């Protein structure tokens, strides 16, 4: 095999702060290379330089043996470099075909040549043995199929190097299998794949070799056969690997429930849901993607309006038709989509950290930045958030540190219930452990926790009880005593 990509001595500074410290990164033609690292390690920055989003402070890039000047995404595309992002960029109101050719439409005599466009579209479908009706509105197609269209666009653009950035975050197990089959088919076609994922099991399924970064440096590149999950974790963190332990139970069984949900129903698919949470108890919601877990918590938090049912906090019924009323009742939410619903990306870190604490941040009726920064500084220290400064925008942070900023809003002692909806989504091993530690600390203070994760191991690890969900209904309330994934799946599939 010949080298398809060589990145030599890549350095990147932001406002004088070094993010990449002279990275060397080489990938062969037709190779699947996993690129791993903790949040903030620099892997996304390295790939953004490759794809022309950022320009390196120092260093060279060679593609197919030739030096490449890549200063913007268009130049990257011209060199045969494409990326399939974690957040898809398709326009929901357009058809699949329109999205496929967006900005690259085929014309004949100044008129759109739909016939030629459809011909080219079906040629790519045949190449990947994957067919989607080109006339379907994109909003009517699953995330997995939208992602396939993104991959097809890369093939149509004659990409030689394709970067996959956390591609399985929102996919079911069956959809993941389809994606992996497509990636292996791309390998057969001699495409060079760079695969970024925090799900280490995927790496052993797909990758030929693994490059690991830490704190802006390249730790090394290894054949996957030489690695194990503990060893990868040690390379990523620089610390000895410790197996994640089951969280200590802090459930106060003898006390009255801190949250009671009775016969909750809504137009979003929630059907007659009833359950309770005791102070310090962690209740897990387990179910397949689309089971209705997030819809249930959106009703409780007032993001979606309930059609019937009652919600009680500390034995008192509360009327919740808006998130503001949920917060006033002592209910907080760490949402699944942190970038859209958890933080304001362009706003300063200290302002995000105090979004739900604004009444307490005022002095003589006026918002006091000093008080805000004092609160945020304490949250940064408590949650070990890595930041350049309190005044930096949240979008400058890694995914794991963004998630910690979301958490920082709820450190107020007045919170009675906290809902964690996919809190470990898209973050690294070390950041996940910090999240579990925070869950345990909240529970120890007597806060009731509702915990959702698509990873059943995480639900089992965190929960005192597990509610198994399907179709917006609770199938079973399981006390977490020697519960296995098999037990949960058997209940779901009955």
């Amino acid at each position: 095999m010949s080298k398809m990509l060589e990145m030599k001595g890549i350095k990147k500074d932001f406002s004088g702060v070094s993010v990449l410290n002279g990275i060397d990164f080489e990938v062969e033609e037709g190779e699947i290379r996993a690129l791993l690292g903790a949040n903030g390690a620099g892997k996304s920055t390295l790939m953004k330089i490759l794809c022309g989003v950022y320009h390196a402070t120092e260093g060279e890039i060679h593609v197919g043996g030739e030096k490449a000047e890549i200063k913007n995404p268009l130049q990257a595309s011209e060199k045969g470099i494409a990326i399939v992002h974690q957040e898809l960029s398709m326009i929901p109101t357009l058809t699949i075909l329109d999205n496929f050719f967006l900005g690259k439409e085929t014309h004949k005599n100044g008129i759109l040549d739909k016939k030629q466009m459809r011909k080219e579209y079906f040629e790519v479908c045949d190449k990947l043995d994957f067919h989607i009706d080109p006339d379907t509105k994109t909003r009517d197609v699953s995330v997995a199929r939208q992602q396939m269209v993104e991959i097809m666009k890369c093939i149509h653009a004659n990409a030689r190097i394709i970067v996959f950035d956390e591609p399985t975050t929102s996919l079911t197990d069956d959809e993941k299998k389809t994606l992996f089959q497509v990636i292996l088919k791309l390998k057969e076609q001699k495409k060079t794949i760079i695969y970024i994922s925090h799900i280490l099991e995927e790496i052993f399924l797909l990758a030929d070799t693994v490059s690991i970064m830490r704190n802006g440096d390249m730790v090394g590149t290894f054949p996957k056969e030489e690695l194990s999950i503990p060893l990868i974790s040690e390379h990523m963190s620089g610390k000895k690997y410790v197996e994640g332990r089951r969280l200590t139970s802090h459930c106060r069984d003898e006390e009255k429930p801190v949250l009671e949900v009775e016969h909750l129903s809504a137009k979003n698919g929630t059907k007659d849901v009833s359950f309770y949470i005791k102070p310090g108890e962690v209740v897990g919601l387990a179910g397949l993607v689309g089971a209705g877990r997030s819809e249930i918590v959106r009703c409780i938090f007032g993001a979606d309006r309930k059609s019937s049912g009652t919600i009680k906090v500390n034995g008192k019924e509360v009327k919740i038709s808006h998130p503001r009323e949920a917060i006033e009742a002592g209910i907080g939410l760490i949402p699944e989509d942190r970038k859209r619903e958890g933080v304001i990306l362009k706003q300063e870190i200290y302002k995000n950290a105090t979004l739900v604490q604004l009444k307490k941040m005022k002095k003589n009726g006026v918002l006091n930045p000093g008080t805000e920064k004092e609160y945020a500084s304490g949250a940064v220290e408590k949650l070990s958030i890595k930041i350049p400064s309190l005044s930096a925008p949240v979008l400058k942070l890694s995914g794991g540190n963004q998630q910690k900023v979301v958490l920082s809003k709820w450190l107020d002692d007045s919170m009675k219930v906290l809902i964690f909806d996919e809190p470990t989504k898209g973050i690294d091993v070390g950041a996940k452990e910090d999240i579990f530690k925070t869950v345990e600390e909240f529970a120890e203070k007597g806060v009731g926790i509702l915990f959702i994760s698509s990873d059943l191991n995480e639900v089992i690890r965190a929960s005192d009880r597990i509610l198994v969900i399907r179709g917006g209904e609770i199938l079973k309330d399981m006390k977490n005593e020697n519960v296995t994934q098999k037990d949960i799946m058997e209940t779901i599939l009955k």
Side-chain angles (χ1 to χ4, degrees):
M1 288 193 294
S2 59
K3 287 186 176 67
M4 176 53 68
L5 173 66
E6 297 173 87
M7 302 181 78
K8 301 177 179 180
I10 302 295
K11 293 185 179 181
K12 181 62 181 175
D13 297 340
F14 289 107
S15 304
V17 177
S18 180
V19 178
L20 298 178
N21 308 317
I23 297 291
D24 293 327
F25 182 66
E26 300 178 352
V27 190
E28 305 283 345
E29 181 184 25
E31 179 184 1
I32 300 178
R33 171 69 60 81
L35 180 60
L36 305 182
N39 287 28
K43 58 189 185 297
S44 292
T45 301
L46 184 66
M47 290 299 99
K48 284 178 179 177
I49 289 170
L50 175 63
C51 296
V53 178
Y54 295 154
H55 189 246
T57 307
E58 290 183 31
E60 294 182 354
I61 300 174
H62 294 252
V63 178
E66 296 180 1
K67 186 176 179 181
E69 288 294 328
I70 302 175
K71 295 184 178 179
N72 55 57
L74 180 60
Q75 289 181 335
S77 179
E78 289 170 350
K79 294 295 180 183
I81 300 164
I83 184 166
V84 179
H85 292 281
Q86 181 178 349
E87 286 89 16
L88 303 178
S89 57
M90 299 177 75
I91 298 172
T93 53
L94 296 182
T95 66
I96 292 294
L97 187 71
D98 289 338
N99 269 297
F100 185 83
F101 281 96
L102 193 62
K104 297 180 180 180
E105 294 83 358
T106 303
H107 295 85
K108 188 176 182 180
N109 300 323
I111 300 171
L112 274 180
D113 190 348
K114 288 273 188 171
K115 184 177 179 181
Q116 179 62 26
M117 289 162 65
R118 293 174 77 87
K119 179 176 178 289
E120 292 176 23
Y121 174 83
F122 286 121
E123 283 173 355
V124 178
C125 285
D126 291 339
K127 221 178 236 187
L128 293 179
D129 193 23
F130 194 89
H131 295 266
I132 304 172
D133 182 355
D135 300 317
T136 305
K137 282 280 198 300
T138 302
R139 66 188 173 204
D140 298 327
V141 170
S142 70
V143 171
R145 294 175 80 79
Q146 288 184 42
Q147 195 170 60
M148 291 303 170
V149 176
E150 295 275 16
I151 297 168
M152 289 161 59
K153 287 167 68 175
C154 297
I155 302 304
H156 184 253
N158 294 318
R160 296 182 285 174
I161 300 167
I162 304 176
V163 180
F164 288 84
D165 185 7
E166 299 286 353
T168 63
T169 302
S170 301
L171 305 188
T172 65
D173 287 343
D174 285 342
E175 289 168 342
K176 287 178 186 178
K177 288 175 186 175
T178 302
L179 173 65
F180 297 159
Q181 287 168 3
V182 169
I183 290 174
L184 292 172
K185 194 176 284 289
L186 293 173
K187 173 182 167 67
E188 290 173 5
Q189 297 171 8
K190 299 295 183 184
K191 304 295 182 184
T192 297
I193 307 296
I194 301 171
Y195 191 89
I196 300 172
S197 178
H198 289 109
I199 304 173
L200 300 185
E201 290 82 359
E202 295 177 6
I203 303 309
F204 291 101
L205 279 173
L206 284 175
D208 300 307
T209 49
V210 180
S211 292
I212 301 175
M213 296 181 67
R214 183 173 72 237
N215 297 330
D217 294 308
M218 185 64 73
V219 175
T221 297
F222 312 87
K224 74 173 177 186
E225 292 79 14
E226 295 180 6
L227 294 171
S228 62
I229 289 178
L231 192 54
I232 290 173
S233 179
E234 288 178 14
H235 283 314
M236 285 169 59
S237 65
K239 300 174 184 176
K240 188 72 179 171
Y241 176 80
V242 179
E243 185 74 42
R245 62 174 178 80
R246 169 82 187 277
L247 301 193
T248 303
S249 176
H250 296 284
C251 178
R252 303 175 186 177
D253 271 321
E254 71 287 354
E255 296 187 21
K256 293 180 179 178
V258 67
L259 176 71
E260 295 170 87
V261 176
E262 298 173 349
H263 305 295
L264 186 67
S265 294
K267 289 181 180 178
N268 68 6
T270 301
K271 300 172 186 173
D272 196 31
V273 167
S274 298
F275 66 93
Y276 65 89
I277 304 176
K278 293 288 186 76
E281 185 177 26
V282 181
V283 174
L285 293 189
L288 301 178
V289 173
R293 298 163 303 170
S294 295
E295 286 76 8
I296 291 170
V297 302
R298 285 178 64 84
C299 286
I300 295 170
F301 193 64
D304 289 344
R305 189 178 291 272
K306 64 183 176 68
S307 52
S308 62
T310 59
I311 299 169
K312 296 179 182 177
V313 176
N314 283 343
K316 182 181 177 182
E317 184 176 348
V318 291
K319 302 293 184 183
I320 299 174
S321 56
H322 189 278
R324 178 182 60 253
E325 293 168 337
I327 294 167
E328 289 170 354
I331 301 173
L333 171 67
I334 293 87
E336 179 180 7
D337 190 341
R338 63 173 171 266
K339 291 187 177 181
R340 293 183 183 178
E341 299 176 345
V343 290
I344 302 172
L345 287 169
K346 293 183 179 179
Q347 198 171 65
E348 295 93 330
I349 290 163
Y350 78 89
K351 289 184 178 178
N352 271 281
T354 56
L355 273 174
V356 299
Q357 313 285 352
L358 293 181
K359 286 184 180 178
K360 298 179 181 179
M361 301 296 126
K362 291 180 179 179
K363 194 171 183 179
N364 299 323
V366 179
L367 201 59
N368 187 319
T371 307
E372 285 187 282
K373 288 179 180 178
E374 185 180 350
Y375 174 91
S377 180
V380 165
E381 183 177 354
K382 179 175 176 54
L383 297 173
S384 303
I385 310 175
K386 294 179 182 177
I387 61 169
S389 75
L390 286 172
S391 297
V394 172
L395 60 81
K396 293 288 186 184
L397 303 182
S398 65
N401 286 306
Q402 287 181 12
Q403 186 70 308
K404 290 179 183 180
V405 172
V406 178
L407 271 169
S408 70
K409 295 186 293 187
W410 307 109
L411 295 179
D412 179 28
D413 288 336
S414 67
M415 302 313 299
K416 307 292 189 301
V417 178
L418 269 182
I419 302 167
F420 288 77
D421 191 355
E422 300 283 5
T424 63
K425 184 176 178 179
I427 64 176
D428 66 79
V429 176
K432 284 183 181 182
E433 290 306 312
D434 289 340
I435 297 294
F436 281 113
K437 179 184 173 186
T438 304
V439 168
E440 192 166 25
E441 287 173 351
F442 275 120
E444 190 174 9
K445 291 194 297 184
V447 176
I449 307 289
L450 195 57
F451 186 91
I452 301 174
S453 176
S454 297
D455 186 334
L456 294 182
N457 277 327
E458 291 187 356
V459 176
I460 292 168
R461 181 182 172 193
S463 307
D464 295 296
R465 282 187 298 120
I466 298 171
L467 306 178
V468 183
I469 309 293
R470 186 180 67 205
E473 297 179 278
I474 295 176
L475 299 178
K476 192 171 184 180
D477 184 336
M478 309 170 74
K479 192 167 179 62
N480 191 7
E481 294 177 348
N482 302 315
V483 170
T484 65
Q485 287 193 60
K486 184 170 178 279
D487 296 329
I488 295 171
M489 287 306 298
E490 283 179 350
T491 302
I492 291 172
L493 299 174
K494 270 183 183 176

